[in-house]
Amino acid sequence: MPIITPERARLMRARAQGLAGGVRGGGVAEVVGRAFAIQAQDAEAAALGLRARSARITRRDVSAAYGPVLVRGWFMRGTLHAVAAHDARWLLGLLGPVFLAASRRRYAELGLDERLQERAEGLITEAVGADGPLTRAELTARLAGLGVPPTGQAAFHLIRRTALRGRICHGPDRAGEATFALLDDLVPPGGPPPPPAREAAAELARRYLAAHAPASAGDFIAWSGLPAGLARQGWHALEDVAEAGIGGGVHVLPRARLAEAEESEPEGPPDVRLLPAYDGYLVGYRTRDLSVPAAHARRVWPGGGQIRPVVLADGLAVATWTRRERAVGVTPFGPLPPEIESGIAAESADVARFLASGTD
């Protein structure tokens, strides 16, 4: 079994995500095709995550992609992600039942019995179908007619349940506020039915590995949120893969990428990228050991569910950053060499370009 150094494994992972080695996608479809899913609980962070992996896409490109190219909904781990539109239905077929089952206790705590859940699903679907995309506040007002409290989490969970059932997904923003639209309007129905769970889990494992290798079964379980047994079935169905030792553990990668482990170190300056908050590169594995130095992990994960934006250099976090109006403020973990400073300046300018490209 070949041994891959942690440094090489990190670079391979970042390349797979389009975040190192000069790898950048063209349009939005190419970027999401490589990364598979962009974490999207923060819509602007998701847009910046697409930018970091791309060659000069614009904010308007991202906005226009939702519907024909991208769908934003609750997918892996029950967390909001942007995925390719053609992947939305089979992902919901696999993951929806998992997270609906996991939510039963919460539904009961909120007093949402099965009859009310079904009535709410019908009302939400009919309202969005008749009136077009509606905001959470607008749907909450409609649900009040069924006796759902207008405050608290009940309305949110009923909206999310309807999305996990494949009826709705996030629609276009309206004055900066998210809306919900019919999934059928954005992704016309048709084509083959979703595959059985075991086949879908195998496809999810294949797509995960393509975007995250080298990785382990434990990484896939943590990233996907699937039950461990089903996730392992999908993982063991992988074909044309090879095992490699990394830091004392066994990881897997596509056999076609084994040659990357033997490549010489990259020449030239480090490939610097500004990753947004909550980026999937930082949460796509069971541990963060390869991407963030342990001594600085708390600066990236300060607690309370926060994941701060980071500066990557060849896949390694070297600083955190914040946006100040159109400028970028950087807090380095230590002294940065001039070539990384230069890369940060170029990326900061591109962040400003990207954000300005969404204004009229």
Side-chain angles (χ1 to χ4, degrees):
M1 181 171 63
I3 302 298
I4 302 177
T5 67
E7 293 77 15
R8 171 58 57 176
R10 176 173 59 243
L11 184 59
M12 292 174 69
R13 285 179 172 182
R15 279 179 176 171
Q17 279 282 308
L19 290 170
V23 178
R24 288 184 181 268
V28 173
E30 183 180 342
V31 173
V32 79
R34 176 182 291 274
F36 181 65
I38 301 293
Q39 196 145 319
Q41 62 263 60
D42 181 311
E44 184 165 281
L48 288 167
L50 290 162
R51 181 218 66 85
R53 295 164 168 85
S54 72
R56 298 189 67 81
I57 63 171
T58 68
R59 188 68 177 88
R60 290 191 192 90
D61 292 335
V62 175
S63 297
Y66 280 103
V69 176
L70 294 179
V71 165
R72 183 176 176 225
W74 287 275
F75 296 105
M76 283 63 66
R77 303 180 308 286
T79 301
L80 282 169
H81 286 80
V83 303
H86 58 77
D87 287 325
R89 291 191 186 278
W90 72 264
L91 283 172
L92 285 170
L94 171 65
L95 298 167
V98 172
F99 303 123
L100 287 169
S103 298
R104 285 174 186 156
R105 181 175 178 180
R106 184 59 178 148
Y107 296 155
E109 291 171 349
L110 293 168
L112 306 175
D113 60 33
E114 289 190 14
R115 175 167 168 72
L116 179 55
Q117 293 171 37
E118 292 172 359
R119 292 176 66 203
E121 179 182 326
L123 183 150
I124 291 168
T125 303
E126 290 176 11
V128 172
D131 299 335
L134 298 173
T135 66
R136 175 175 167 179
E138 289 168 338
L139 288 174
T140 298
R142 305 287 182 98
L143 288 167
L146 298 181
V148 178
T151 59
Q153 291 294 305
F156 164 77
H157 278 278
L158 290 169
I159 294 168
R160 180 175 180 269
R161 177 187 178 278
T162 305
L164 289 171
R165 292 267 296 159
R167 304 293 188 260
I168 61 172
C169 62
H170 277 70
D173 282 3
R174 189 200 304 159
E177 189 173 0
T179 68
F180 295 89
L182 287 181
L183 181 63
D184 283 355
D185 285 349
L186 298 185
V187 185
R198 186 166 181 170
E199 292 179 23
E203 177 63 10
L204 187 61
R206 185 186 71 80
R207 303 287 286 278
Y208 169 78
L209 194 67
H212 294 83
S216 68
D219 292 329
F220 175 59
I221 293 169
W223 171 84
S224 68
L226 286 174
L230 179 57
R232 290 188 184 279
Q233 287 180 356
W235 190 257
H236 293 313
L238 289 168
E239 298 178 345
D240 297 321
V241 296
E243 292 185 340
I246 303 171
V250 177
H251 291 66
V252 169
L253 69 160
R255 193 174 299 279
R257 294 189 65 202
L258 268 175
E260 288 185 46
E262 305 297 330
E263 291 179 357
S264 58
E265 291 303 307
E267 298 181 359
D271 190 338
V272 176
R273 310 289 177 98
L274 295 189
L275 281 197
Y278 308 106
D279 193 85
Y281 176 73
L282 300 179
V283 297
Y285 305 92
R286 187 172 52 85
T287 67
R288 60 200 66 163
D289 299 345
L290 290 186
S291 58
V292 180
H296 303 293
R298 291 293 293 178
R299 301 172 75 169
V300 179
W301 286 270
Q306 294 185 67
I307 305 175
R308 289 178 174 149
V310 301
V311 178
L312 290 185
D314 288 340
L316 179 67
V318 297
T320 58
W321 65 278
T322 57
R323 187 158 60 85
R324 300 167 182 168
E325 297 297 331
R326 296 288 182 188
V328 167
V330 174
T331 305
F333 298 157
L336 298 175
E339 57 267 31
I340 291 182
E341 295 277 13
S342 177
I344 290 172
E347 275 284 276
S348 298
D350 195 64
V351 167
R353 172 204 64 81
F354 177 79
L355 294 173
S357 71
T359 60
D360 294 324

